[in-house]
Amino acid sequence: MCYVDDTNPLYVTMGNPNLKTSHTLSASLNFSTMLTHASQMLSVSIDFRKNYDPIGTILHYNSETGSYLAQKQNIRGGERYGASINYERDLGGGFHIRNSISESYGQSYGIMTLVDGATGVAYNRQRSSDLSDRLNLQYTHGPFFLFLGQNFDWHHYTYSDQAQPRQNIYNYRAAFTFRYTLKDWEFMFIPDFFLDRGYMSDAMNTNRFLLNARVSYKFLKNKASLALHASDLLNRSTNNYSDVTATSRTEGGSSFLHHYVSLTFNYKFDAKK
């Protein structure tokens, strides 16, 4: 539709009757197999996605009046490729291992603001790579259970606009769970280590050690249980996140109720006949 909305003289919008319909092409291929020897499982997947004629907003800025003219236009589309491998097996002797690796690579385009009568469309191309690894090792022996896990994420960004430097964001987590069962008692000790790097705020580039613990007791022929859970004993639990595009970068974090202890009682009633 062709129209001009100048209700706000500092931000005028103009319609575009020549807009085309946007399309997205996506495809994926998956393969999985199981081997009886050592209870092995392997799965592989690849995927592809491409955007055609996406719609973006072109901004024209007038430095004399301080006003903007905005119009929707079909812009250059991006694409993304992804692959992942998952493998797990029984190692014998109570050990079990699982690993998952994935990589995603693609490019997208951000629209630069046009200043003082400049024409055409100015693009800032972003190329991004996201690598993820999840490795878990589990050990069980009688009443003793041990879980070791590590999560690693690496996000890498480059831009055609030389004013924007390369960016790398790293997130690492080492998770541990120790559990021991002694008759009707169960004891759990859960330390975690977190490392974050590459954020613009130094307050988010931290090392954090979290500590949780739990003890529970079953009674009344295992129908009832009483559990004491201590969460975040060191008061360090936070979550960081980032959203990076070709034209913007947003970072933030969230915190929860820290350093608390809960007491829980559960009872299982018999099913009615």
Side-chain angles (χ1 to χ4, degrees):
M1 179 184 295
C2 184
Y3 68 90
V4 175
D5 182 358
D6 57 0
T7 305
N8 181 357
L10 294 179
Y11 192 89
V12 179
T13 58
M14 179 182 295
N16 185 356
N18 299 316
L19 284 178
K20 302 177 183 177
T21 302
S22 300
H23 299 88
T24 300
L25 171 67
S26 59
S28 63
L29 179 64
N30 301 278
F31 169 80
S32 62
T33 183
M34 296 186 65
L35 302 176
T36 56
H37 175 66
S39 301
Q40 299 179 75
M41 190 278 290
L42 173 67
S43 64
V44 180
S45 67
I46 57 175
D47 59 84
F48 168 76
R49 185 179 73 252
K50 183 174 178 59
N51 298 319
Y52 293 91
D53 296 319
I55 297 175
T57 301
I58 309 297
L59 287 177
H60 299 262
Y61 176 69
N62 189 319
S63 61
E64 293 183 0
T65 63
S67 63
Y68 288 89
L69 173 64
Q71 185 183 46
K72 298 288 187 181
Q73 293 187 23
N74 292 103
I75 62 174
R76 188 178 301 171
E79 61 275 338
R80 194 154 198 89
Y81 306 85
S84 65
I85 299 177
N86 300 281
Y87 177 75
E88 64 176 289
R89 66 168 294 166
D90 184 12
L91 299 177
F95 288 94
H96 187 87
I97 192 171
R98 179 186 302 114
N99 194 27
S100 175
I101 302 176
S102 64
E103 163 65 16
S104 177
Y105 175 82
Q107 63 181 8
S108 60
Y109 297 88
I111 308 171
M112 310 294 286
T113 300
L114 302 175
V115 180
D116 294 336
T119 59
V121 181
Y123 290 105
N124 180 27
R125 184 196 64 233
Q126 180 199 64
R127 288 176 175 167
S128 61
S129 173
D130 301 294
L131 176 65
S132 174
D133 180 59
R134 303 287 184 267
L135 176 62
N136 300 328
L137 178 64
Q138 178 179 312
Y139 174 71
T140 305
H141 180 71
F144 181 75
F145 172 84
L146 172 65
F147 172 84
L148 305 174
Q150 70 90 29
N151 298 346
F152 174 74
D153 296 291
W154 174 36
H155 309 282
H156 177 68
Y157 308 96
T158 60
Y159 305 89
S160 60
D161 182 10
Q162 299 300 318
Q164 291 185 266
R166 293 184 179 183
Q167 299 171 346
N168 292 281
I169 298 177
Y170 305 92
N171 305 107
Y172 178 78
R173 177 189 181 188
F176 305 88
T177 299
F178 304 91
R179 186 179 69 209
Y180 185 77
T181 303
L182 181 63
K183 294 185 179 180
D184 297 325
W185 292 88
E186 183 180 80
F187 303 90
M188 293 185 66
F189 182 64
I190 313 169
D192 287 343
F193 173 76
F194 294 83
L195 182 149
D196 295 318
R197 291 292 186 273
Y199 293 100
M200 298 181 66
S201 172
D202 290 337
M204 299 173 64
N205 297 318
T206 59
N207 303 330
R208 303 185 307 282
F209 183 74
L210 274 62
L211 183 60
N212 302 305
R214 183 179 183 272
V215 58
S216 63
Y217 176 70
K218 295 181 180 180
F219 53 100
L220 297 179
K221 297 181 180 180
N222 290 334
K223 290 184 178 181
S225 65
L226 193 64
L228 179 66
H229 178 72
S231 178
D232 193 15
L233 292 173
L234 303 179
N235 202 22
R236 299 293 305 277
S237 179
T238 59
N239 287 325
N240 297 328
Y241 66 87
S242 65
D243 181 22
V244 182
T245 70
T247 55
S248 66
R249 177 170 179 171
T250 303
E251 296 180 353
S254 58
S255 299
F256 302 93
L257 178 62
H258 293 174
H259 205 62
Y260 67 89
V261 175
S262 64
L263 183 64
T264 305
F265 173 77
N266 290 309
Y267 184 84
K268 297 181 181 179
F269 292 93
D270 293 330
K272 294 183 178 180
K273 297 182 179 181

